[in-house]
Amino acid sequence: MSVSSAAEEAMGLTGKPMLEIIASEVKDHIFSYLPQETLFCLLLTSPAVSEEAAILLYHCPKFRTTYRFAQFVTTVSHSRRYADLVRVFELSDRKEAEDRANGFASWREWKYREIPLYAAQAPPKQLMEPKKKTYKGTHPGTNYLFSKTGGGVMPIGSVVHALAACRNIKSCSLTFYLDILLISHRQVKLNFRGLTSDDLIGSLNYPSSAISGMVFASDLARSWTQGSADVESVQPNFLVRHLSSLMRLEMVQIRNAPWISGEDVQDILWNCPRLKKVDFRDSGKLMRDQVLVVSGRTAKWEIPWAMKGSSKECRATFPAGLTSESLAIVGQGSEKEKY
C-alpha cells in the first residue's frame, strides 16, 4: 500500500486528517516531544491543531536571544489569550554574548523593526564555530548600526510588560551572569549583565496599548518630548512589585542580581500567598559590612538575603514589617552563624 493510500484510508469517510480528529490528550502527548520551532509551525495550521500547540509553546517559552524575547513580550502584552497560557517564565543571558558575536539581532532591532534604517538584516551566513558550519536558520541578523552595542542587556520595561500580562505564572527564574576580570590578588572588576534601567512615560501623548497599561522609553522607536512630569526613571527592582502581585506564583529564582535588596526579598516572601521555594543566591546590594569573596576567577557576595530554601524557612529569617536597619542587623547575625 502506498503512503498516499494509507493516508486516505486513515482519513476515512470524514475527509479530515487523523491529527485533527484524534483526542486532545493524544495530541498533547505527541506535541510534548516537539521542539519550539515545530510547535510554532503548528500554530500556522488548522485551529484544531494550533490550539494544543499554543498551550505547550507558551507554557514554558525559551528565548535564544533578546530579539526572540522582545517578540514574545509584544505578543503576550497585547493578547490575553496567549498571556494566560504562560506558567513558567525564565530569562537568562547565558547565550546572548555568543549570539551577538555571531551576528544575531537583539531587542533593539525588534524595537526599530518598522524603521528600515535600523531594522534587522538578513540572517547571518556563518556561525563563529571551529568547523564554520553554514547557518540555515531564520533568525534575523544584527543591523550594522547596533553591531557594537550591548544588545544583551534587556530594558526593565520589557520584563515588566511580561509579568503584568502573564498573571498565571507559577515559576519565575531570572538568572544573570557576570564577567570577572581578575586584575590582581587585591582588585577585581565585575561586569554584571542582565537588566538595565528604563523610563516610564506618563504623557497622554503616548497612550498604552499593552495589558500593563504602561509605556516605557524602550517601547518607543521614536524620541519623545521629555519633561520632568512625563518621565519617571525606573530601576530593575521596579519589577518586584509586579512579581509579588502574581497570586499563583510558587517558585522564584533571581540569581546574580546586584539590584535586589532586603526589602525586595521581603516583599516577594510575604505578598505571594502560594510561594513555596525561593533562590536569591549571589544577589543583593553591597552594604558597609559586606565583603566580596574572590577565589581564583570566581566571586560571590556575602549578602544575608542571598539565600535558597523553602518560603517557610526564609519567612522565619525575614519576618514581615522589618525596616531596612532591622534587615541589616538580622542579616549580619545570620551571616555570622552561617560562616
Side-chain angles (χ1 to χ4, degrees):
M1 181 182 294
S2 65
V3 177
S4 59
S5 300
E8 292 175 359
E9 181 179 349
M11 292 170 61
L13 300 177
T14 62
K16 295 182 179 180
M18 178 178 289
L19 195 59
E20 292 190 6
I21 62 177
I22 61 178
S24 298
E25 294 79 4
V26 178
K27 281 188 284 190
D28 291 341
H29 182 73
I30 296 174
F31 293 169
S32 64
Y33 293 95
L34 302 179
Q36 281 197 159
E37 294 80 2
T38 305
L39 291 174
F40 178 77
C41 293
L42 289 174
L43 290 179
L44 307 179
T45 60
S46 65
V49 175
S50 61
E51 185 65 27
E52 282 80 4
I55 293 175
L56 288 174
L57 179 64
Y58 283 91
H59 180 273
C60 181
K62 304 291 184 181
F63 316 105
R64 178 170 186 176
T65 64
T66 56
Y67 184 90
R68 295 303 188 199
F69 178 71
Q71 288 180 309
F72 165 80
V73 171
T74 302
T75 300
V76 297
S77 63
H78 293 82
S79 174
R80 176 60 71 187
R81 173 193 173 214
Y82 291 123
D84 286 345
L85 296 177
V86 180
R87 296 294 187 274
V88 180
F89 181 75
E90 296 180 356
L91 182 61
S92 170
D93 68 345
R94 179 185 293 274
K95 287 276 188 182
E96 185 61 34
E98 175 186 348
D99 289 333
R100 287 292 290 175
N102 291 332
F104 290 106
S106 71
W107 65 272
R108 299 179 189 275
E109 281 82 1
W110 177 256
K111 172 182 176 179
Y112 294 99
R113 61 189 181 278
E114 297 180 356
I115 303 178
L117 179 63
Y118 301 101
Q121 299 179 342
K125 296 181 180 180
Q126 296 286 339
L127 285 175
M128 300 297 290
E129 295 180 356
K131 296 182 180 181
K132 298 292 183 180
K133 296 181 180 179
T134 302
Y135 177 68
K136 298 181 180 179
T138 59
H139 195 293
T142 182
N143 187 289
Y144 70 95
L145 295 175
F146 300 132
S147 59
K148 301 299 183 180
T149 59
V153 181
M154 282 293 301
I156 183 61
S158 299
V159 183
V160 171
H161 279 314
L163 292 177
C166 304
R167 55 189 177 184
N168 294 327
I169 292 177
K170 291 186 176 181
S171 175
C172 181
S173 177
L174 306 176
T175 305
F176 311 112
Y177 295 85
L178 50 86
D179 298 326
I180 305 176
L181 304 177
L182 195 60
I183 300 175
S184 68
H185 68 285
R186 293 185 179 181
Q187 296 179 347
V188 62
K189 181 180 180 181
L190 302 178
N191 178 25
F192 289 94
R193 296 181 289 122
L195 297 179
T196 185
S197 60
D198 209 337
D199 290 327
L200 178 62
I201 302 175
S203 174
L204 296 178
N205 295 327
Y206 300 95
S208 175
S209 60
I211 295 175
S212 65
M214 293 177 286
V215 177
F216 294 91
S218 58
D219 299 328
L220 304 178
R222 299 289 188 181
S223 61
W224 69 95
T225 303
Q226 184 171 347
S228 57
D230 299 333
V231 179
E232 174 189 356
S233 178
V234 292
Q235 301 303 317
N237 61 354
F238 180 73
L239 66 84
V240 171
R241 72 175 67 174
H242 301 280
L243 187 63
S244 59
S245 66
L246 297 174
M247 294 294 100
R248 300 186 180 183
L249 193 63
E250 296 179 358
M251 195 280 285
V252 174
Q253 182 184 61
I254 303 179
R255 298 289 307 276
N256 291 338
W259 43 263
I260 199 168
S261 66
E263 292 87 343
D264 297 330
V265 172
Q266 191 181 44
D267 192 15
I268 295 173
L269 285 173
W270 289 97
N271 289 326
C272 299
R274 297 189 182 182
L275 193 63
K276 296 179 180 179
K277 296 180 180 179
V278 297
D279 186 357
F280 301 107
R281 289 175 295 170
D282 305 319
S283 296
K285 294 181 180 179
L286 281 178
M287 295 193 305
R288 182 182 61 185
D289 298 327
Q290 294 164 348
V291 297
L292 178 66
V293 180
V294 180
S295 176
R297 293 187 62 82
T298 63
K300 68 175 182 178
W301 304 115
E302 289 186 352
I303 305 292
W305 50 83
M307 54 189 173
K308 175 184 179 182
S310 67
S311 58
K312 183 178 180 180
E313 296 171 344
C314 296
R315 285 168 182 164
T317 304
F318 290 95
L322 288 181
T323 61
S324 301
E325 293 77 9
S326 300
L327 283 171
I329 295 174
V330 172
Q332 291 170 6
S334 64
E335 283 296 306
K336 292 179 181 179
E337 296 175 0
K338 180 178 179 181
Y339 293 98

